[in-house]
Amino acid sequence: MSDSNTTRFRNSSTFILLGIPGLEEAHIWISIPFCTMYAIAILGNFTILFIVKTEPSLHVPMYYFLCMLAITDLVLSMSTLPKMLSIFWFSSREINFIACLTQMYFLRSFSVMESGIFVAVAVDRYVAICHPLRHSTTMTNHMVFKIGLTVVLRGAILVLPYPFLTRRWPYCRTNIILHTYCEHMAMVKLACTETRVNGYYGLFVAFFVPSLDVFFIAMSYILILRAIFSPPTKDAQLKTFGTCFSHFCAILTFYIPVIFSSLMYHFGHDVALWFHVAIANVYLLVPPMLNPIIYGIMTKQIRKWLLRLVIHKGT
């Protein structure tokens, strides 16, 4: 590759987001479910935040963590979907290099934060169910603040090397990103320098951190399941199981697409590129849409608040 080409792409101020490669003619049709999921995610997560803020009985640790989850989902949706829809509707594919790095950082860091929030929820449920008498003294507002701060700092610091390393690379092949957003591995493929260190670190963040979180979540729920069968009455068992089931569904909704997408990028070399991109979009779009639905339907307090609102509007 000539030096002039290397200089050109290293100093390029913009990248081109291609969208879903191979399905460009179907972008308008693809935008319909994407826009629908985006609208549901925005409405649902803002509704969760509003309900928790206005209902004093929900000012407890579990719902504080639920608010953190809603904010995380809003950031993940709002940092990708507007640009994605502009690609589908208006073919507005250009994105500033700094904006691209910022988007990549927000996506990665808030994904790590969301994983940490699920760990925090699992720990809170463990203390509430296995040690109910100590829950109010252990999970104080101060403790919730410290856990929340730890989750945020972990996500922010772990992902911090990504944009700094990516900014230093020379991009001498092309400035076209074969994706709907600035995905880290899609940008790695454009670099014409050694990216092994970044690749190893990316694998660490993509696999080790979620695996560690899943381990702590699994241990918490194993202890919770053991405690579920300890209460003397069936009603108590059903109440405890119902409390945890919504969290378990949300955890599966988040981790299954994330793990599948990561495995596809690192090991699915023979899979069509459009399928890679589609799966990567699923893990960004589906959890923010489903989380408020899961908690709205399966959490008794939120369900009762929504029913009161519907009855009030009806009368």
Side-chain angles (χ1 to χ4, degrees):
M1 189 67 68
S2 66
D3 291 340
S4 61
N5 284 343
T6 302
T7 303
R8 176 185 173 190
F9 286 108
R10 173 182 284 179
N11 297 329
S12 178
S13 60
T14 59
F15 278 86
I16 307 297
L17 292 168
L18 195 62
I20 302 181
L23 298 178
E24 288 86 355
E25 294 183 0
H27 275 177
I28 289 292
W29 298 106
I30 295 170
S31 71
I32 296 173
F34 278 38
C35 184
T36 303
M37 287 189 283
Y38 180 53
I40 294 172
I42 296 298
L43 178 63
N45 285 293
F46 272 119
T47 300
I48 293 292
L49 292 172
F50 178 76
I51 291 173
V52 175
K53 182 180 184 299
T54 55
E55 182 57 55
S57 65
L58 301 182
H59 294 175
V60 293
M62 186 182 83
Y63 293 99
Y64 292 149
F65 291 133
L66 182 56
C67 286
M68 288 183 63
L69 182 65
I71 292 170
T72 303
D73 284 338
L74 285 170
V75 173
L76 288 173
S77 298
M78 296 173 74
S79 60
T80 54
L81 261 297
K83 181 60 182 177
M84 204 181 295
L85 292 175
S86 72
I87 295 170
F88 294 157
W89 290 341
F90 311 114
S91 296
S92 176
R93 294 183 167 89
E94 288 192 358
I95 184 169
N96 182 275
F97 182 55
I98 300 300
C100 193
L101 294 180
T102 304
Q103 185 189 61
M104 179 184 68
Y105 177 76
F106 270 79
L107 290 177
R108 287 281 177 168
S109 61
F110 276 84
S111 293
V112 174
M113 289 178 202
E114 184 151 344
S115 182
I117 292 168
F118 283 122
V119 177
V121 171
V123 170
D124 175 69
R125 292 298 85 202
Y126 163 73
V127 176
I129 294 168
C130 299
H131 304 283
L133 298 179
R134 294 192 300 194
H135 182 257
S136 60
T137 56
T138 302
M139 300 300 292
T140 61
N141 287 344
H142 183 63
M143 177 59 70
V144 171
F145 174 78
K146 289 198 294 185
I147 292 173
L149 183 62
T150 302
V151 167
V152 171
L153 290 177
R154 188 188 73 150
I157 293 170
L158 278 176
V159 183
L160 198 58
Y162 279 50
F164 286 103
L165 290 170
T166 306
R167 188 177 184 181
R168 295 175 58 193
W169 293 338
Y171 296 94
C172 56
R173 294 192 178 100
T174 179
N175 63 342
I176 298 174
I177 300 174
L178 302 176
H179 217 292
T180 53
Y181 57 88
C182 295
E183 211 281 332
H184 176 248
M185 292 307 298
M187 295 188 70
V188 168
K189 294 176 181 178
L190 303 183
C192 57
T193 187
E194 178 59 56
T195 60
R196 190 176 301 171
V197 173
N198 194 276
Y200 289 149
Y201 188 73
L203 280 171
F204 167 76
V205 175
F207 289 105
F208 179 75
V209 174
S211 298
L212 192 63
D213 289 348
V214 169
F215 171 78
F216 285 118
I217 291 170
M219 291 302 298
S220 297
Y221 278 95
I222 287 170
L223 294 172
I224 288 170
L225 286 173
R226 193 173 70 176
I228 282 178
F229 298 99
S230 298
T233 64
K234 189 174 181 179
D235 288 341
Q237 292 176 355
L238 291 173
K239 182 179 179 181
T240 305
F241 182 76
T243 303
C244 296
F245 187 67
S246 58
H247 305 301
F248 187 68
C249 290
I251 287 166
L252 290 179
T253 302
F254 175 75
Y255 281 109
I256 290 176
V258 167
I259 293 170
F260 189 63
S261 179
S262 298
L263 290 172
M264 286 275 293
Y265 260 107
H266 291 285
F267 305 110
H269 304 297
D270 297 327
V271 180
L273 183 58
W274 69 264
F275 192 71
H276 275 279
V277 177
I279 291 298
N281 283 303
V282 164
Y283 99 78
L284 279 181
L285 293 171
V286 173
M289 177 192 69
L290 289 183
N291 283 340
I293 296 174
I294 290 170
Y295 285 109
I297 293 174
M298 297 186 180
T299 304
K300 183 179 179 181
Q301 291 87 336
I302 295 177
R303 189 169 65 246
K304 285 173 63 176
W305 194 96
L306 290 171
L307 286 173
R308 285 207 313 269
L309 179 65
V310 170
I311 293 170
H312 178 72
K313 291 289 184 182
T315 56

